[in-house]
Amino acid sequence: MTDLEKELQDALAQVKTALAAVSDMNALEECRVRFLGRKGLMPALMAQLGKVPQDQKPAVGKTVNLVKQEIQQAFDDCGARLNQDQKTASALDVTLPGRQRAIGHKHPINLVMDSAVAIFRRMGFIVADGPDIETVANNFDALNSPQDHPSRTPDDTFYFDLDQHHWLDPEALILRTQTSPVQIRAMKAQKPPVRIICPGRCYRRDTPDATHGMSFHQIEGLYVDQCVSLADLKGTLAAFAREMFGTHTKVRFRPHFFPFTEPSVECDASCIVCGGKGCRVCKGSGWIEIAGAGMVNPAVFQNVGYDPDTTTGFAFGLGIERMAMIRYAINDLRLLYDNDVRFLHQF
Ligand code: DAH
């Protein structure tokens, strides 16, 4: 190998080492000038080709061509690598702020449910739970519901096993029509005093419209002790309404009938939209019904094994959908179940 050939191989090695360290286009250009530029290493070596003896020229010329090709290839490869790096770098810009993941939020039904639970818990009630699938015994019989009540028929209530049980059979299984059976479960499980609330889902064979669904939510309340009075019930619901709908909210009781309470009442809150003057939301009356309630019927105490002569208590059942409609001024309950995120995002 001639000296020139050695120098050429050496130059190629230098080029490769230099290019391996190149990390941007400016550095690449510097290399190009250093090795291939007019005053660079390669033209200097090429200039020596003329001094090579005639007989060695073909062999040296071949080496020159090979080295030139390899050097060109090394520059091309380096350029391609930089391009690729740039593409990857622009795809992953680590200085960009992180992408926010939409985590959603609570459904308006749950928002109202959670507020109601929080308010009653502050008053000392604890949350009790019961199954959505109930027995006729718990949902109707123990609650003193008369056998001829129309709500018990399969036209009004979802039964599971009518091929095995008559719908009056205490063991027949249904989708609970109210949260009141949780009262029965709670009282059977413990002695007084009892102070529970039970938020949950109920089911009825209603034709859905703006104010009815075949499934809806209630929050049941039960307070059993000695010397509990209707005044305690009213005070509790009044305090609840003020917390839930605003400090100026008033409540009123209207006489009603429920088999499991005696006396029974329906509880209205003063309309939060018009403050009681009368508007479209309260249909001009100034009041909006929020709960059924009353003093626990001694027959119910008897059914759960409590002494009906010495035990007293009140109970109530609040409609969650109704409260959501009042709180958020929603005029059709079905909107709550359509699951259109454009609607749900507003709450
Ligand atoms: N269970 C009743 C209903 O679904 C609501 C109710 C009324 C619950 C009076 C009660 C009560 O606990 O005392 O219509």
Side-chain angles (χ1 to χ4, degrees):
M1 199 186 282
T2 64
D3 287 348
L4 180 54
E5 281 176 299
K6 268 196 212 123
E7 281 183 72
L8 281 167
Q9 293 298 353
D10 194 38
L12 176 60
Q14 277 186 51
V15 167
K16 285 191 173 164
T17 319
L19 288 180
V22 159
S23 62
D24 60 35
M25 286 297 178
N26 284 343
L28 179 63
E29 191 49 31
E30 271 172 28
C31 270
R32 199 183 300 280
V33 172
R34 185 168 135 214
F35 293 106
L36 309 177
R38 233 167 6 102
K39 295 178 184 159
L41 182 58
M42 282 308 286
L45 290 176
M46 303 305 260
Q48 293 180 33
L49 192 59
K51 295 178 199 149
V52 173
Q54 201 59 34
D55 59 329
Q56 292 176 6
K57 264 199 180 148
V60 178
K62 211 169 156 189
T63 311
V64 168
N65 280 336
L66 276 175
V67 169
K68 270 167 81 174
Q69 266 174 29
E70 277 201 61
I71 287 183
Q72 189 55 49
Q73 189 63 48
F75 271 95
D76 289 352
D77 289 350
C78 182
R81 172 171 64 80
L82 291 184
N83 271 334
Q84 190 56 43
D85 285 357
Q86 215 170 25
K87 268 193 212 149
T88 322
S90 60
L92 180 83
D93 181 350
V94 292
T95 65
L96 280 176
R99 229 173 266 163
Q100 284 217 332
R101 193 173 288 232
I103 53 167
H105 61 88
K106 281 185 184 162
H107 190 279
I109 297 276
N110 293 82
L111 289 171
V112 171
M113 194 83 108
D114 289 356
S115 322
V117 168
I119 293 167
F120 285 121
R121 284 184 58 159
R122 281 203 295 277
M123 293 185 206
F125 288 86
I126 61 163
V127 174
D129 204 6
D132 288 21
I133 299 175
E134 260 298 1
T135 58
V136 160
N138 283 340
N139 192 85
F140 292 124
D141 296 333
L143 287 162
N144 199 35
S145 157
Q147 292 217 328
D148 58 1
H149 197 281
S151 72
R152 296 182 65 143
T153 68
D155 281 342
D156 280 12
T157 294
F158 292 106
Y159 283 82
F160 278 95
D161 46 2
L162 287 179
D163 49 338
Q164 285 166 48
H165 297 280
H166 185 269
W167 49 271
L168 285 174
D169 184 340
E171 281 169 26
L173 291 177
I174 60 167
L175 286 174
R176 69 178 176 195
T177 61
Q178 49 191 353
T179 42
S180 307
V182 184
Q183 292 185 21
I184 303 300
R185 290 175 175 273
M187 287 191 283
K188 281 190 167 162
Q190 69 173 98
K191 293 260 159 281
V194 178
R195 194 158 44 179
I196 55 152
I197 48 165
C198 166
R201 192 162 203 159
C202 313
Y203 309 81
R204 289 180 198 174
R205 289 192 66 174
D206 271 332
T207 308
D209 63 21
T211 51
H212 295 87
M214 48 156 204
S215 155
F216 56 97
H217 297 77
Q218 290 185 334
I219 185 162
E220 188 82 14
L222 174 71
Y223 176 32
V224 179
D225 206 339
Q226 285 170 353
C227 303
V228 179
S229 76
L230 196 69
D232 296 322
L233 170 61
K234 193 163 185 187
T236 303
L237 288 176
F240 170 78
R242 283 195 300 270
E243 290 273 320
M244 190 71 175
F245 301 118
T247 42
H248 299 298
T249 313
K250 295 190 173 60
V251 294
R252 72 171 184 188
F253 281 176
R254 283 177 289 108
H256 200 72
F257 172 79
F258 295 105
F260 33 87
T261 42
E262 185 57 38
S264 301
V265 297
E266 276 194 322
C267 176
D268 299 335
S270 54
C271 177
I272 56 161
V273 177
C274 62
K277 290 188 204 73
C279 69
R280 267 205 330 218
V281 173
C282 58
K283 302 205 175 72
S285 73
W287 297 94
I288 293 178
E289 184 197 323
I290 57 165
M295 301 307 294
V296 178
N297 194 320
V300 173
F301 287 142
Q302 184 111 48
N303 291 340
V304 296
Y306 286 2
D307 179 355
D309 294 327
T310 58
T311 318
T312 50
F314 67 67
F316 57 83
L318 288 148
I320 299 292
E321 277 76 359
R322 176 163 276 264
M323 291 195 285
M325 288 172 79
I326 301 171
R327 191 187 210 183
Y328 300 121
I330 298 168
N331 59 5
D332 190 330
L333 160 161
R334 287 168 293 191
L335 288 166
L336 293 168
Y337 294 107
D338 284 346
N339 277 341
D340 184 335
V341 287
R342 290 168 303 179
F343 172 78
L344 296 174
H345 265 315
Q346 303 173 78
F347 307 102

